[in-house]
Amino acid sequence: MVSTKPKALLVFLLLALFVLQGVYLVNRASTTNDESFHVKAGGLYFQTGQFGGGFHNPPMLQTVLGLPDGVGWAPYDILKARPPYWSRYINLLLGTLTAFAVFLVACRFFGENCGLLSLAMYALSPSLTAHSALATTDIGVTLWLFIFVALVAASDKNDAPSSFVVAGLALGAAIACKLTAMAFIGLM
C-alpha cells in the first residue's frame, strides 16, 4: 500500500500534467466560433451592464470568461486572429477544479486508489483537456453538474434537508452556466 506522501505527490503530478497539457493547447489551438461569442458577450456585460448572450447561454459563465475583456486588462478583438488566451486560462482553472473534484468524490465513494485512477483517467482524457483549453461553457457546466450528481449520490446516506438545498444550488449554478443542464432537474 502506498503511503500518504507519495499519493499526494501523485495527485499533484497528475493535476500538473493536466495543466501543462492545457497550457500547451491554450497557446496552440485556433479560435473557435463559440469562444468569440462567449468572451464578447461576457465582456459586453461588464462594459454596458446589459447581457446579450442569447437565451440558450445564461450569463454566469460567460461573464466569468469575459472578465479579462470586460475589465480591460486583456481586451479581446474578434477581428484579430488571436485567441482569447486569458479567458482560456480561466476555463483551464475550472477544468483543474473539476479534476480535483473527481478525485475527491472518487476517494470518498470508492477509496484512494480509485480516486487516483479516476484522476489519472481525467488528466489523460484528450476530450476533457481540449475542452478545458477553450473559452466555452462546457467545462463550467461539467463542474457544477458533477458536484450536483455527487451531492445527490451522497444524499442517500444523509437525508438532511440541507444536503438537498446544497445540491439544488449546484444544479442552479449549472443551469446558470448552460440551459442544457435543465435535463438534470429530474434527479432532484
Side-chain angles (χ1 to χ4, degrees), residues 14-176:
L14 286 169
L15 289 172
L17 175 65
F18 178 77
V19 169
L20 289 173
Q21 292 176 95
V23 167
Y24 176 80
L25 290 173
V26 161
N27 294 311
R28 296 283 184 202
S30 61
T31 305
T32 66
N33 185 41
D34 288 358
E35 287 182 299
S36 299
F37 177 76
H38 295 310
V39 172
K40 279 319 270 184
L44 287 173
Y45 176 77
F46 281 103
Q47 295 165 358
T48 65
Q50 296 180 355
F51 184 74
F55 174 73
H56 65 286
N57 292 302
M60 186 171 107
L61 198 54
Q62 288 185 345
T63 54
V64 171
L65 295 174
L67 182 66
D69 179 52
V71 297
W73 57 271
Y76 177 65
D77 186 357
I78 293 176
L79 300 176
K80 291 186 179 175
R82 68 172 182 79
Y85 294 114
W86 288 107
S87 298
R88 286 180 172 187
Y89 284 118
I90 291 171
N91 209 40
L92 182 58
L93 175 65
L94 292 174
T96 307
L97 290 173
T98 307
F100 192 63
V102 165
F103 168 72
L104 292 177
V105 170
C107 283
R108 177 179 170 157
F109 285 107
F110 307 109
E112 285 186 356
N113 290 333
C114 287
L116 287 171
L117 178 62
S118 299
L119 179 57
M121 291 171 67
Y122 185 102
L124 298 172
S125 168
S127 179
L128 292 168
T129 306
H131 281 286
S132 295
L134 297 173
T136 61
T137 57
D138 299 324
I139 289 298
V141 74
T142 301
L143 171 63
W144 288 110
L145 284 177
F146 181 77
I147 291 171
F148 166 70
V149 170
L151 289 169
V152 169
S155 68
D156 287 345
K157 299 174 186 171
N158 179 13
D159 287 338
S162 61
S163 65
F164 291 105
V165 170
V166 175
L169 290 173
L171 180 59
I175 293 169

